[in-house]
Amino acid sequence: QVQLVESGGGLVQPGGSLRLSCAASGSFLSINAMGWYRQAAGKQRDLVATITSRGSTNYADSVKGRFTISRDNTKNTVYLQMNSLKPEDTAVYYCNGVVSSTLFAAKTYWGQGTQVTVSS
């Protein structure tokens, strides 16, 4: 069984920063792409950023230049550094990972989510 556990959410003022972490644990062969998504109240879950196992990144236009995704493969952890936060960044943030349990089988796992609230 694979678990993804997020941490680092909270309340921050506009213009502030937060760093989210998501650690994978359990029995698996490797973790391929990892990513962060967010879901604001009453809205659909949207992509924030993704990162491949080799470090190639992709960002939603709304966060480019403000958020940075990174990963530490030795710790099976993905991070999201969020700077210049805006009220519209308020959402529950979820991490996911494409995890290979064997050479021929991969499955996407999701974390439980962490609340980020940007408000004065």
Side-chain angles (χ1 to χ4, degrees):
Q1 188 71 8
V2 177
Q3 283 190 319
L4 298 179
V5 180
E6 298 107 333
S7 61
L11 174 65
V12 64
Q13 292 186 341
S17 298
L18 280 176
R19 188 193 195 206
L20 305 182
S21 300
C22 174
S25 62
S27 178
F28 51 85
L29 187 64
S30 64
I31 304 177
N32 307 313
M34 301 187 80
W36 289 95
Y37 293 72
R38 65 187 181 187
Q39 187 168 17
K43 296 188 177 181
Q44 66 181 21
R45 189 175 299 186
D46 291 326
L47 168 74
V48 175
T50 61
I51 185 168
T52 68
S53 58
R54 296 188 178 185
S56 295
T57 58
N58 179 55
Y59 295 93
D61 287 343
S62 60
V63 306
K64 282 181 181 177
R66 301 188 298 122
F67 291 10
T68 302
I69 189 171
S70 61
R71 63 189 287 173
D72 184 338
N73 291 331
T74 65
K75 297 181 179 179
N76 296 318
T77 300
V78 63
Y79 305 96
L80 186 68
Q81 178 66 43
M82 304 185 293
N83 299 328
S84 303
L85 282 161
K86 305 175 181 179
E88 52 263 43
D89 294 317
T90 295
V92 178
Y93 283 70
Y94 298 89
C95 74
N96 81 350
V98 179
V99 181
S100 293
S101 56
T102 71
L103 288 176
F104 308 106
K107 181 179 177 181
T108 299
Y109 291 86
W110 290 87
Q112 82 286 354
T114 186
Q115 177 71 47
V116 172
T117 302
V118 185
S119 175
S120 56

